Amino acid sequence: MKTWGTSGRVVYDQAGELKMRVYAPLDRKNGITPWELIPRIQDVIAPVDYSIIKTKDRMKAALDEVSVLGPEVDRLKARDYHELARCIDAESMVLCAEMFYRASLMRTESRGFHLREDYPAMDNENWLKWINVKNIEGKMELYTEDKPFDGYPYRPASNTGVR
């Protein structure tokens, strides 16, 4: 069985810290509810100008808005376990929004659902790649990885030499 880079052992101190962080909204008396934060996240993700038809400037503006919402996660409060679940949703939404905009800024081409007005053409020469996101000491790091076309029955016909 593959353990995806883990030893398969439980690190109890780390598990305890995670449990405290996840349940923290239940202990907060002051702060904001997930019902207050989620619409603000949706306001950054939903507009077509930010998320579908993209430009560098608009994505940077959206990422700036997401960076303001990140600290709000630490202020989330929950009255019960149902609201705690929404707090976890809100935290995940902020994280996903940041990953989405960082990866979108990195990909300087248009491909499929990813449409960049400032890079309208598909660029197989430089972008037949996956963008990976990794948490390195609490910081989001992005890097690319070539797609493993050897295992694909269909390959792009382009000037990349991949057939």
Side-chain angles (χ1 to χ4, degrees), residues 13-14 26 46 51 53 66 79 103 106 111 120-121 132 138 144 159:
D13 289 344
Q14 191 176 33
L26 287 170
S51 62
I53 304 171
V66 170
R79 292 173 297 188
M106 186 178 195
R111 179 178 299 271
N132 298 307
T144 61
N159 59 353

Side-chain angles (χ1 to χ4, degrees), residues 95-158:
L95 179 63
C96 287
E98 183 180 356
M99 288 188 291
F100 173 80
Y101 285 120
R102 287 189 187 282
S104 293
L105 277 165
M106 186 178 195
R107 184 173 288 280
T108 53
E109 67 157 356
S110 289
R111 179 178 299 271
F113 188 66
H114 175 71
L115 176 61
R116 296 263 319 241
E117 285 181 320
D118 46 356
Y119 293 95
M122 187 182 303
D123 180 3
N124 284 344
E125 187 70 32
N126 297 301
W127 281 107
L128 281 175
K129 301 175 184 293
W130 289 324
I131 296 177
N132 298 307
V133 183
K134 200 172 209 176
N135 179 347
I136 309 278
E137 297 180 12
K139 187 176 179 215
M140 192 177 292
E141 298 284 337
L142 284 79
Y143 61 96
T144 61
E145 178 181 351
D146 290 337
K147 290 184 181 177
F149 286 110
D150 293 341
Y152 288 13
Y154 301 101
R155 298 181 184 127
S158 69

Side-chain angles (χ1 to χ4, degrees), residues 72-111:
E72 296 291 292
V73 169
D74 293 332
R75 295 183 54 234
L76 285 168
K77 65 178 182 175
R79 292 173 297 188
D80 55 35
Y81 289 108
H82 297 285
E83 209 164 71
L84 178 63
R86 297 296 73 79
C87 290
I88 294 167
D89 289 344
E91 181 177 7
S92 296
M93 290 171 74
V94 170
L95 179 63
C96 287
E98 183 180 356
M99 288 188 291
F100 173 80
Y101 285 120
R102 287 189 187 282
S104 293
L105 277 165
M106 186 178 195
R107 184 173 288 280
T108 53
E109 67 157 356
S110 289
R111 179 178 299 271

